Amino acid sequence: RKEVEQDPGPFNVPEGATVAFNCTYSNSASQSFFWYRQDCRKEPKLLMSVYSSGNEDGRFTAQLNRASQYISLLIRDSKLSDSATYLCVADSGTYKYIFGTGTRLKVLA
Amino acid sequence: EPEVTQTPSHQVTQMGQEVILRCVPISNHLYFYWYRQILGQKVEFLVSFYNNEISEKSEIFDDQFSVERPDGSNFTLKIRSTKLEDSAMYFCASMDQGAGEQYFGPGTRLTVT
């Protein structure tokens, strides 16, 4: 089983749509979780940390379910500028990051 | 806003040559990392560095790789004898405390011919 697993997509959605990405992780020692955004041939940029209580930042909401080892990201009112690859990340338990393969999102005009 | 910087942005080298990739982490950060991303693949951990020593390294980080923090600001990755399969984007990252958020530099694209 992959350590961090994501649907690679692509997800093609119209502007204004709501889109949800899911991710599962296998290492029960993971304590910290993140969503990063990566544009083509650029570095990963932190989008948000993910907490058990859930957290929201504007149009973005992240949720963590430790029992199911499942992380989600919801993007509301999609913009053209949201087109990117979204990387699910779990800390290994030793402060290194384990990345998923990423989910590609394309928002269409 | 403080950021991680990396040089060069692109390095082309011949197989068997040594390369040094340079990074300047965010100044008050304590944990430093190198990751790599082969084109079309996921980001992979190479090595972590804390308190002037390697804290963890992956299977990829073999004897051909080394890291150094020669002064208070730079963090370098050296590949002693490059192979074709070392061609990738190499990202440096830093973090201010354990289990915090890592911030990535813009990367160095290494092409081995």
Side-chain angles (χ1 to χ4, degrees), chain A residues 36 38 49 94-97, chain B residues 33 35 37 56 101-102 105:
Chain A
Y36 278 74
Q38 186 175 33
S49 302
T94 59
Y95 304 155
K96 76 180 187 211
Y97 278 4
Chain B
Y33 302 84
Y35 293 85
Q37 187 175 32
E56 190 172 351
E101 297 157 346
Q102 293 181 23

Side-chain angles (χ1 to χ4, degrees), chain B residues 38-106:
Chain B
I38 294 169
L39 189 63
Q41 297 186 24
K42 66 177 183 178
V43 178
E44 300 175 288
F45 168 78
L46 290 178
V47 65
S48 57
F49 193 87
Y50 172 71
N51 202 25
N52 284 318
E53 60 183 22
I54 289 175
S55 29
E56 190 172 351
K57 57 185 180 179
S58 72
E59 290 173 357
I60 303 166
F61 195 91
D62 62 22
D63 292 344
Q64 294 302 313
F65 290 84
S66 62
V67 290
E68 205 175 35
R69 187 155 161 83
D71 52 43
S73 58
N74 291 284
F75 180 51
T76 61
L77 174 69
K78 183 195 288 187
I79 310 174
R80 260 178 279 281
S81 177
T82 49
K83 306 185 190 75
L84 294 175
E85 55 265 36
D86 293 328
S87 295
M89 186 73 116
Y90 288 80
F91 294 110
C92 174
S94 70
M95 182 170 74
D96 63 353
Q97 58 183 331
E101 297 157 346
Q102 293 181 23
Y103 293 88
F104 286 75

